[in-house]
Amino acid sequence: MVEEAKVDYIDVPENGLFFIPLGGVGEIGMNFYLYACDDKWIAVDCGVGFAGDRFPGIDMLMPDPAFAEKIAPKLKGLIITHAHEDHIGAVASFWPVLRCPVYVSAFAAEMLETRLDEAGLLGRAEVNVFDAGDLLELKPFEIETFAMNHSIPEACSLLIKTPYGTVFHTGDWRFDEAPIVGKPVDMKALKALKDEKIKVLIGDSTNVFVDGDIPSESDVKTALTELFGKYKGKRLIVTCFASNVGRIESIAEAAEQNGRTVCLLGRSLWRVEGAGRAAGYFRGINVFLTEEEAAECEPGSVLYLCTGCQGEPKAALSNISYGTGPVKPVKGDVVVFSSRVIPGNEQAIANIQNRFIVKGIEVVTVKDALVHVSGHCGRKDMEKLYKALKPETAVPVHGEAAHLFEHVDLAKACGVKNAVVLKDGDVLRLDLSVPEVIGEVQTGVLARDKKQLIPLNASILKQRRRMIEDGTVVATVVLDKKGSVVGDIQFSAVGLIETSDPVMEQLKESVKLAIMGISASERKENDQAIFETVKGAVRKVVVETHGRRPLVDVHLVRV
Amino acid sequence: MVEEAKVDYIDVPENGLFFIPLGGVGEIGMNFYLYACDDKWIAVDCGVGFAGDRFPGIDMLMPDPAFAEKIAPKLKGLIITHAHEDHIGAVASFWPVLRCPVYVSAFAAEMLETRLDEAGLLGRAEVNVFDAGDLLELKPFEIETFAMNHSIPEACSLLIKTPYGTVFHTGDWRFDEAPIVGKPVDMKALKALKDEKIKVLIGDSTNVFVDGDIPSESDVKTALTELFGKYKGKRLIVTCFASNVGRIESIAEAAEQNGRTVCLLGRSLWRVEGAGRAAGYFRGINVFLTEEEAAECEPGSVLYLCTGCQGEPKAALSNISYGTGPVKPVKGDVVVFSSRVIPGNEQAIANIQNRFIVKGIEVVTVKDALVHVSGHCGRKDMEKLYKALKPETAVPVHGEAAHLFEHVDLAKACGVKNAVVLKDGDVLRLDLSVPEVIGEVQTGVLARDKKQLIPLNASILKQRRRMIEDGTVVATVVLDKKGSVVGDIQFSAVGLIETSDPVMEQLKESVKLAIMGISASERKENDQAIFETVKGAVRKVVVETHGRRPLVDVHLVRV
């Protein structure tokens, strides 16, 4: 997402093996990768990114699909490595452009179904469900799916075999010797992959700055069980990432061992519950309580599991912290954040925690107990993987620039011969002894503005920033045939001047005077002169009174 | 800043000793404290807070001065503990309300002068300069100023003696055995204060979660000297907090030991340079270079010191990272962040760092070397202070709720008998054996909206949020005497719909049709019916096409 002057785009050659990230390199989010082998194409993942506060009114970003649209007729399939939004969230938006079969795991298929349904694509998009270990034949690609551990069920790496050599595309992953959902990674099978002579490894960089062992999800379950035991009889409110099915199971089992049943609060948790049950999860756990059912129970027999661990203002936990949620917490209650802080959300999360603390409610985070572990590989796991697979070349993805460069150093330290940092849109030729960037294709970022996808440099986004910084004023002036003002001059200055502010009268007087300063002949026919005069008069007043230089729009009506 | 239902405000009794925080308790920022002794008053500090992203178009928050205004005629003085914006930044704004003498150190006086000048108050506001150790006689208060260490020169604690007992007001502080500006805290004199029988300690809570020793500023200088030595001949760009005079001296001395002279980039650094020189700092250091002078030098003989360590979008470092600044960095250059990350700025800072990293520029932060230390006391310093002064009661300030409660626990563990968590506006009666909150006075937060101070619940702020979320549309309709539309119906939908969007035509048609649906008699005189009809028609179109439900303003002109 670094702004740069664009070079000429290339055509990807018909022969050879190529890797092209359209999103996901240089940012954590918007994963969207293409592979071409002799002009037959596959896509891996198709996700969204979060906009943060930089783009007012925008909460979701998507990679520009323009290039994918160009090669879409040659696309054999889109393979989704797992169901996190940054890997699957753009499928429903882009399917009408891609129109190729989608390959997903059972859980991801359930999560995708809702989105396709909302987009009116259910039954139209071909969705194929695979099990880890299945072979996907998308000639000339032969793709072996390989189960990895992650913070969502059924995450897969892809062993992509082609006539030019084999690529290992990790997706998001870690090694967990005792996961709560799925099994530990089959290390024997993984090590055997070395015999495939892996040419290139395309790998997750998220935790490349994390040293040391990352505990297992089972360790979290143990810690939660012990933690909950300390709070017998007290009201217990827990929050976690909604898609983390393993964590929800850990929390539920830890709750049950302490005589509590979990009540789910928040729509995304219920959505995951539905998808999870359909795909075979949450077996052997008490049925989750609704908010109404929980209200009938003693506080000590329930555990409230809420959405909103990132401080999202409309989620269950935020409402609860304001006292407007379904649970009214009181002194002595306990709130557990079974989650990490995503950079940028620090203050929003702290504000929620402080609202609890002032009420005498205890807040427990990962600083106090092992209530969360990451789903991404740290350095130790990465080293283990490189040593097991011995790829010739490493291509870091799923990271900001800092992560990618650090990943290169790590790969080289593990004995990997070549390591390349790409940027989105780069065309990396893989069928060479040393892979090489041969040029770029069109890429970029689109903002999802409710129903529309707009470019990040759209004028409405610039206007929104100016509305915030400088304000806007709309002035209406009606002139008759002689060029005289008729009726009232009217103003709107939404978000800039209160309607009761005497400045509104001052604006009216100034604009009237300014128009009278234009010659009668000009007033009769020169719209431009009226526009400029009104704009100038409005700006002069607002700069003086409010210190802002607003955008001014003039509605000039001639009657 | 927690929103709560307001209780009735009390009048502060005429007799007795009272402490009233108007800002600074429950937040880090907006420090503004009042003390009353037998209805004579003093104020301590008068600062601003940063708005973050919560209030669009607002960058500065201030405590509501309404209560201070009420007691202003009885105000003997405003004492500033140090020159950080969160302690001094509101003086120029509130002086016209307070109209009392201001007591500041020499450096703070220099920093304040610019602000008073901008506000046209220079020469009108009485500013008295004190040296640490001076006694301020503001009867019945007798205030001993006591030099502490901090990340800005001349920070003071106040020993406030009254007929009802003595209060120690720490201000922001730490112990530094080898500071770069000022001297180490005089521990012997500090310990002697115990004999004053300190009733209450009002203390800084910022780093109450920081365990272990916090190194000295001299250690930073040593680390910087060593670090710069590694980059002989390379272009070196460093950023730090502009007001940290000690750090600027550390950087300059470390630079000189490596044959470099510092060039300052950024207005706030030059402002601090001016204030610092006037107050006697930067002695024995080479004169700082301007950008033009530095351009004449070899990269290896200069060190560029920039504003923008928090990722501020318009500061020098941000411009440099985009390649639009006065220095154009290239591969092999080095950027050092001699600063910490203020919560909320993580992503803005990471974005800048990533822009350097993709260009092959090395980024050094506190994770890599001791290039920064905090100016606030950690737990060890706090324990040392409590053990030295043995106050009867501790009142934590300068912290969010989490910090205040933790500070209470720490104080009690140090043997302090009473510890009270307040909120802004609380009236704490100190002339009791155990201090007690007896009620509240008016408090709150105001937003500085360029030239205006507005309440946080001002309708223009709500409108700004709605403009971002839902958009606004202004529609102009001109009706003649018969109630028929004359001239063009016009629309502005700034930041919502591009002017070239065909939806603009659709809006026109829909509104015209809707008005025609109103009976002729209603059209002639019922303005309200026209408003509602136009609003409804506009909303219907925009919900369908843009998925937003905009604020609609109607300019109805009858001619």
Side-chain angles (χ1 to χ4, degrees):
Chain A
M1 298 207 306
V2 174
E3 293 170 42
E4 299 196 12
K6 269 291 165 213
V7 295
D8 287 335
Y9 298 129
I10 62 159
D11 288 321
V12 177
E14 283 200 8
N15 294 311
L17 179 64
F18 305 90
F19 171 68
I20 308 171
L22 294 181
V25 174
E27 66 249 327
I28 293 183
M30 295 197 292
N31 296 279
F32 192 17
Y33 305 101
L34 296 177
Y35 289 90
C37 181
D38 292 343
D39 214 21
K40 307 285 187 304
W41 295 69
I42 56 170
V44 175
D45 290 339
C46 186
V48 297
F50 295 97
D53 303 303
R54 288 168 300 161
F55 306 104
I58 302 294
D59 48 18
M60 215 58 97
L61 303 177
M62 294 188 184
D64 183 349
F67 180 77
E69 189 171 3
K70 254 176 67 177
I71 58 89
K74 305 173 197 166
L75 210 45
K76 300 276 170 180
L78 162 62
I79 305 138
I80 302 296
T81 60
H82 65 285
H84 276 145
E85 284 292 300
D86 58 334
H87 293 258
I88 202 172
V91 174
S93 298
F94 291 167
W95 191 85
V97 160
L98 304 178
R99 293 181 172 276
C100 69
V102 182
Y103 296 85
V104 283
S105 77
F107 176 74
E110 294 294 334
M111 295 294 283
L112 184 57
E113 190 175 304
T114 326
R115 304 295 185 190
L116 289 175
D117 196 12
E118 286 164 2
L121 293 171
L122 207 58
R124 287 179 59 207
E126 179 191 330
V127 177
N128 303 291
V129 175
F130 65 79
D131 287 326
D134 283 0
L135 194 73
L136 311 177
E137 298 266 9
L138 305 171
K139 289 286 172 201
F141 297 97
E142 219 181 72
I143 301 154
E144 216 178 296
T145 58
F146 193 92
M148 300 293 262
N149 301 124
H150 190 42
S151 47
I152 196 165
E154 303 167 8
C156 271
S157 293
L158 305 176
L159 186 78
I160 303 171
K161 298 181 202 172
T162 78
Y164 296 102
T166 297
V167 176
F168 191 81
H169 187 111
T170 69
D172 294 3
W173 71 280
R174 62 165 295 189
F175 294 132
D176 188 339
E177 287 175 13
I180 297 294
V181 301
K183 291 179 200 153
V185 170
D186 182 343
M187 293 306 289
K188 215 174 131 192
L190 186 84
K191 283 176 184 158
L193 295 181
K194 187 174 71 223
D195 305 333
E196 305 278 349
K197 290 208 166 31
I198 292 169
K199 205 169 165 60
V200 181
L201 184 147
I202 312 276
D204 182 358
S205 313
T206 315
N207 274 347
V208 68
F209 290 106
V210 178
D211 262 327
D213 287 310
I214 297 179
S216 163
E217 182 62 33
S218 291
D219 299 330
V220 173
K221 187 172 113 181
T222 307
L224 288 170
T225 308
E226 192 185 322
L227 182 77
F228 297 165
K230 283 194 208 159
Y231 301 114
K232 260 192 202 351
K234 292 193 170 189
R235 188 182 284 117
L236 203 44
I237 298 165
V238 182
T239 183
C240 73
F241 292 101
S243 62
N244 196 335
V245 170
R247 182 64 47 77
I248 300 173
E249 289 197 0
S250 294
I251 291 166
E253 289 175 24
E256 288 177 20
Q257 289 199 31
N258 285 286
R260 294 178 190 256
T261 303
V262 168
C263 163
L264 297 184
L265 298 175
R267 214 170 32 168
S268 18
L269 276 167
W270 282 109
R271 193 184 303 136
V272 167
E273 192 262 355
R277 288 222 184 265
Y281 299 95
F282 306 124
R283 299 287 186 259
I285 286 172
N286 287 343
V287 170
F288 297 116
L289 302 178
T290 63
E291 148 189 356
E292 293 75 19
E293 289 164 347
E296 305 288 310
C297 306
E298 287 299 310
S301 68
V302 179
L303 180 148
Y304 292 95
L305 183 56
C306 308
T307 55
C309 67
Q310 295 307 301
E312 300 89 334
K314 288 168 191 165
L317 191 69
S318 173
N319 291 335
I320 291 171
S321 76
Y322 276 113
T324 58
V327 190
K328 314 275 178 245
V330 294
K331 192 177 162 136
D333 292 352
V334 181
V335 176
V336 180
F337 282 74
S338 181
S339 53
R340 74 179 183 109
V341 177
I342 293 179
N345 298 337
E346 289 77 4
Q347 199 56 53
I349 294 172
N351 290 346
I352 288 184
Q353 293 175 343
N354 283 318
R355 279 197 289 275
F356 288 124
I357 291 167
V358 290
K359 290 183 187 140
I361 294 160
E362 189 176 341
V363 171
V364 180
T365 73
V366 77
K367 286 180 192 159
D368 308 300
L370 183 62
V371 294
H372 179 70
V373 290
S374 174
H376 292 274
C377 47
R379 299 180 68 87
K380 279 203 176 174
D381 279 357
M382 293 170 80
E383 285 159 8
K384 221 159 133 186
L385 187 74
Y386 278 115
K387 282 172 186 166
L389 298 184
K390 299 199 183 303
E392 286 174 25
T393 296
V395 180
V397 296
H398 211 284
E400 298 174 357
H403 304 90
L404 305 180
F405 281 85
E406 185 77 14
H407 187 160
V408 160
D409 291 347
L410 178 139
K412 288 199 170 159
C414 290
V416 177
K417 245 183 1 204
N418 320 305
V420 199
V421 170
L422 299 181
K423 61 181 186 309
D424 289 335
D426 276 347
V427 179
L428 183 67
R429 179 159 205 150
L430 302 180
D431 58 327
L432 304 169
S433 57
V434 178
E436 195 177 292
V437 175
I438 58 164
E440 277 182 60
V441 298
Q442 184 179 343
T443 184
V445 180
L446 300 178
R448 194 173 69 196
D449 193 41
K450 305 279 180 196
K451 290 197 170 184
Q452 302 191 303
L453 277 179
I454 58 176
L456 285 189
N457 61 358
S459 60
I460 56 172
L461 285 182
K462 284 183 201 147
Q463 287 170 356
R464 260 178 230 171
R465 278 199 212 94
R466 277 212 58 191
M467 284 160 70
I468 296 170
E469 275 310 307
D470 305 316
T472 59
V473 175
V474 180
T476 291
V477 177
V478 183
L479 297 181
D480 65 11
K481 298 273 181 286
K482 289 176 293 186
S484 302
V485 174
V486 287
D488 245 11
I489 297 180
Q490 300 197 20
F491 297 93
S492 293
V494 179
L496 176 63
I497 308 173
E498 305 274 356
T499 44
S500 59
D501 192 318
V503 169
M504 287 303 215
E505 273 311 306
Q506 197 181 330
L507 273 175
K508 209 172 273 189
E509 286 312 307
S510 298
V511 168
K512 200 175 274 176
L513 270 173
I515 293 176
M516 278 162 59
I518 308 175
S519 72
S521 61
E522 291 250 275
R523 265 187 277 141
K524 266 196 275 185
E525 45 194 39
N526 191 342
D527 288 3
Q528 204 52 41
I530 309 277
F531 291 155
E532 294 308 320
T533 302
V534 174
K535 279 184 194 178
V538 169
R539 284 214 179 122
K540 190 154 179 288
V541 171
V542 180
V543 167
E544 267 168 27
T545 57
H546 285 70
R548 295 186 191 262
R549 200 179 147 71
L551 271 170
V552 183
D553 218 357
V554 183
H555 291 180
L556 169 60
V557 187
R558 295 190 178 272
V559 296
Chain B
M1 300 210 304
V2 174
E3 293 170 43
E4 300 195 11
K6 268 292 164 213
V7 296
D8 287 337
Y9 298 130
I10 62 160
D11 288 321
V12 177
E14 283 199 9
N15 294 310
L17 179 64
F18 304 90
F19 171 68
I20 308 170
L22 294 180
V25 174
E27 66 249 327
I28 294 183
M30 295 196 292
N31 295 281
F32 191 20
Y33 306 100
L34 296 177
Y35 290 89
C37 181
D38 292 343
D39 214 22
K40 307 284 188 302
W41 295 68
I42 56 168
V44 175
D45 290 337
C46 187
V48 297
F50 295 96
D53 303 303
R54 289 168 301 160
F55 306 106
I58 303 294
D59 48 17
M60 214 60 98
L61 302 177
M62 295 188 182
D64 182 350
F67 179 77
E69 188 170 6
K70 253 176 68 176
I71 57 89
K74 307 174 197 165
L75 210 45
K76 300 275 169 182
L78 163 62
I79 304 138
I80 302 296
T81 59
H82 65 286
H84 276 145
E85 284 293 300
D86 58 333
H87 293 258
I88 202 173
V91 174
S93 298
F94 291 167
W95 190 84
V97 160
L98 305 178
R99 292 181 172 275
C100 68
V102 183
Y103 297 84
V104 282
S105 77
F107 176 74
E110 293 294 334
M111 295 293 283
L112 184 58
E113 191 174 301
T114 325
R115 304 293 186 191
L116 289 174
D117 195 12
E118 286 164 1
L121 293 171
L122 207 57
R124 288 179 57 206
E126 179 191 330
V127 177
N128 303 291
V129 174
F130 66 80
D131 287 325
D134 283 0
L135 194 73
L136 310 177
E137 298 265 10
L138 305 171
K139 289 284 170 209
F141 297 96
E142 221 182 70
I143 301 153
E144 218 179 293
T145 58
F146 193 92
M148 299 293 261
N149 300 124
H150 190 41
S151 46
I152 197 165
E154 303 166 8
C156 270
S157 292
L158 305 176
L159 187 78
I160 303 171
K161 298 182 202 172
T162 80
Y164 297 101
T166 297
V167 177
F168 191 80
H169 187 110
T170 69
D172 294 2
W173 70 281
R174 62 165 294 186
F175 294 133
D176 187 338
E177 288 174 12
I180 296 294
V181 301
K183 292 180 199 152
V185 170
D186 182 342
M187 293 307 290
K188 216 174 131 192
L190 186 83
K191 283 175 185 159
L193 296 181
K194 188 176 69 225
D195 305 333
E196 304 279 351
K197 288 207 169 30
I198 292 170
K199 208 170 161 61
V200 181
L201 183 145
I202 313 274
D204 181 358
S205 313
T206 316
N207 275 346
V208 68
F209 290 106
V210 177
D211 261 328
D213 288 309
I214 297 179
S216 163
E217 182 63 31
S218 291
D219 298 329
V220 173
K221 186 171 118 182
T222 307
L224 288 170
T225 309
E226 192 184 321
L227 182 77
F228 297 166
K230 282 193 208 162
Y231 301 114
K232 258 191 205 350
K234 292 193 171 190
R235 186 181 285 118
L236 204 45
I237 299 165
V238 182
T239 183
C240 73
F241 292 102
S243 62
N244 196 336
V245 170
R247 181 64 46 79
I248 299 173
E249 290 196 359
S250 294
I251 291 167
E253 288 175 25
E256 289 177 19
Q257 288 199 34
N258 285 285
R260 295 179 189 256
T261 303
V262 169
C263 162
L264 297 184
L265 298 175
R267 213 168 36 167
S268 15
L269 276 167
W270 282 110
R271 194 184 302 136
V272 169
E273 192 264 354
R277 290 225 182 262
Y281 299 94
F282 307 123
R283 297 286 187 260
I285 285 173
N286 287 343
V287 171
F288 297 116
L289 302 179
T290 63
E291 146 188 356
E292 293 75 18
E293 288 164 346
E296 305 288 310
C297 306
E298 287 298 309
S301 68
V302 180
L303 181 148
Y304 292 94
L305 183 56
C306 308
T307 55
C309 68
Q310 294 308 301
E312 300 90 335
K314 287 168 192 164
L317 191 68
S318 173
N319 291 336
I320 291 171
S321 77
Y322 277 113
T324 58
V327 190
K328 314 273 178 250
V330 295
K331 192 178 163 130
D333 291 352
V334 181
V335 176
V336 180
F337 282 75
S338 181
S339 54
R340 72 179 184 109
V341 176
I342 294 179
N345 298 337
E346 290 76 4
Q347 199 56 53
I349 295 172
N351 290 346
I352 288 184
Q353 294 175 343
N354 283 316
R355 278 197 289 275
F356 287 125
I357 290 167
V358 290
K359 290 183 187 140
I361 294 159
E362 189 176 340
V363 171
V364 180
T365 73
V366 78
K367 285 178 194 161
D368 308 299
L370 183 63
V371 294
H372 179 70
V373 290
S374 176
H376 292 275
C377 48
R379 300 180 69 88
K380 280 202 176 174
D381 279 357
M382 293 170 80
E383 286 160 6
K384 221 159 134 187
L385 187 75
Y386 278 116
K387 282 169 187 166
L389 297 183
K390 297 196 186 304
E392 286 172 27
T393 296
V395 180
V397 297
H398 210 284
E400 299 175 358
H403 304 90
L404 306 179
F405 280 86
E406 185 76 15
H407 187 160
V408 161
D409 291 346
L410 178 139
K412 290 201 169 160
C414 290
V416 178
K417 243 183 2 203
N418 319 307
V420 200
V421 169
L422 300 181
K423 60 180 187 311
D424 289 336
D426 276 347
V427 179
L428 183 68
R429 178 159 206 148
L430 301 180
D431 59 326
L432 305 169
S433 57
V434 179
E436 195 176 291
V437 175
I438 59 163
E440 298 184 39
V441 300
Q442 183 178 343
T443 183
V445 179
L446 300 178
R448 195 172 69 196
D449 193 40
K450 305 280 179 195
K451 290 196 169 182
Q452 303 190 303
L453 276 179
I454 58 176
L456 286 189
N457 61 0
S459 60
I460 55 171
L461 285 183
K462 285 184 202 146
Q463 287 170 355
R464 259 178 231 171
R465 277 198 213 96
R466 276 211 57 192
M467 283 161 71
I468 295 169
E469 275 310 306
D470 304 318
T472 60
V473 175
V474 181
T476 291
V477 178
V478 183
L479 297 180
D480 65 13
K481 298 273 181 287
K482 291 176 293 187
S484 301
V485 174
V486 286
D488 245 10
I489 299 180
Q490 299 197 20
F491 296 94
S492 293
V494 180
L496 177 62
I497 308 172
E498 305 274 357
T499 45
S500 59
D501 193 319
V503 169
M504 288 302 216
E505 273 310 306
Q506 196 181 332
L507 273 176
K508 209 172 272 187
E509 286 311 307
S510 297
V511 169
K512 198 175 276 176
L513 270 172
I515 294 176
M516 278 162 59
I518 308 174
S519 73
S521 61
E522 292 250 276
R523 265 186 278 144
K524 268 196 274 188
E525 44 195 38
N526 191 340
D527 287 4
Q528 204 51 43
I530 308 275
F531 291 155
E532 294 309 319
T533 302
V534 174
K535 280 184 192 176
V538 169
R539 282 209 181 126
K540 189 154 180 287
V541 170
V542 180
V543 167
E544 268 168 29
T545 57
H546 286 68
R548 295 188 190 261
R549 202 179 146 72
L551 272 170
V552 182
D553 218 357
V554 182
H555 291 181
L556 170 61
V557 187
R558 293 189 179 274
V559 296

